Amino acid sequence: MEDMNQLYSDIILEHNQDQANKHELDPHNLQEHGHNPSCGDDITLQADIQDGIIKDAAYTGHGCAISQASTDIMIDLIRGKSVKEALRLVDLFLAMIKREETDDGKLEELDEAIALKNISNMPARVKCAVLAWHTLKDALEKEEEK
């Protein structure tokens, strides 16, 4: 199990340092701000949605390694997916963090986001891990209402 924890830590560090998804997105037609007052994480998500497909997404802002890595991983996961599929993946991620979904077979769909699974053992860090996912969910639900 220690090896898995190390692997997960490596994934989080790698995504925290990766700046490929951290920039202003031009063009974008979806923007949502997310803020976590308990630790100061602050992000703005932008996405370019065409015909119900998330063509591209990016973010700007700052925060702890977990929030930044989680945002980066999420963007990698949703790029190219339909809005409906992205919402389903967000719900799956949130269910994993709340320990409502524990079937590793189902969780494999989250790809590298599964590295954040053990955050649920650290209540103080949960808000960091879910900030981007809640922000995306809010934005996409508004988009669906249009």
Side-chain angles (χ1 to χ4, degrees), residues 19-93:
Q19 301 290 306
N21 292 326
K22 191 172 183 176
H23 57 87
E24 292 275 337
L25 186 65
D26 187 30
H28 67 271
N29 54 13
L30 183 78
Q31 179 168 309
E32 191 76 23
H33 179 249
H35 182 67
N36 176 2
S38 65
C39 69
D41 296 330
D42 194 276
I43 61 162
T44 299
L45 284 178
Q46 296 176 325
D48 179 24
I49 300 174
Q50 303 296 332
D51 302 320
I53 303 294
I54 301 166
K55 294 288 185 198
D56 201 2
Y59 75 103
T60 54
H62 59 270
C64 68
I66 290 170
S67 76
Q68 300 289 287
S70 185
T71 306
D72 192 68
I73 289 168
M74 180 193 74
I75 287 172
D76 285 347
L77 184 67
I78 62 159
R79 188 178 283 121
K81 303 266 192 318
S82 68
V83 168
K84 190 174 181 176
E85 176 68 0
L87 278 168
R88 191 183 67 75
L89 290 165
V90 168
D91 287 340
L92 181 60
F93 178 84

Side-chain angles (χ1 to χ4, degrees), residues 2-30:
E2 191 55 43
D3 289 347
M4 286 306 283
N5 288 338
Q6 186 56 51
L7 175 67
Y8 290 168
S9 297
D10 290 348
I11 289 170
I12 291 168
L13 285 171
E14 182 185 314
H15 279 277
N16 178 47
Q17 292 164 351
D18 184 10
Q19 301 290 306
N21 292 326
K22 191 172 183 176
H23 57 87
E24 292 275 337
L25 186 65
D26 187 30
H28 67 271
N29 54 13
L30 183 78

Side-chain angles (χ1 to χ4, degrees), residues 57-137:
Y59 75 103
T60 54
H62 59 270
C64 68
I66 290 170
S67 76
Q68 300 289 287
S70 185
T71 306
D72 192 68
I73 289 168
M74 180 193 74
I75 287 172
D76 285 347
L77 184 67
I78 62 159
R79 188 178 283 121
K81 303 266 192 318
S82 68
V83 168
K84 190 174 181 176
E85 176 68 0
L87 278 168
R88 191 183 67 75
L89 290 165
V90 168
D91 287 340
L92 181 60
F93 178 84
L94 296 173
M96 173 184 77
I97 297 293
K98 291 181 203 157
R99 295 193 187 123
E100 293 166 358
E101 181 58 74
T102 55
D103 180 339
D104 283 342
K106 288 183 183 168
L107 295 178
E108 279 178 8
E109 282 188 85
L110 294 172
D111 198 32
E112 288 186 315
I114 202 168
L116 295 157
K117 183 179 183 180
N118 292 335
I119 297 289
S120 58
N121 301 327
M122 299 178 272
R125 310 311 291 174
V126 166
K127 286 182 178 171
C128 309
V130 300
L131 175 64
W133 302 78
H134 279 301
T135 304
L136 179 68
K137 186 177 169 97

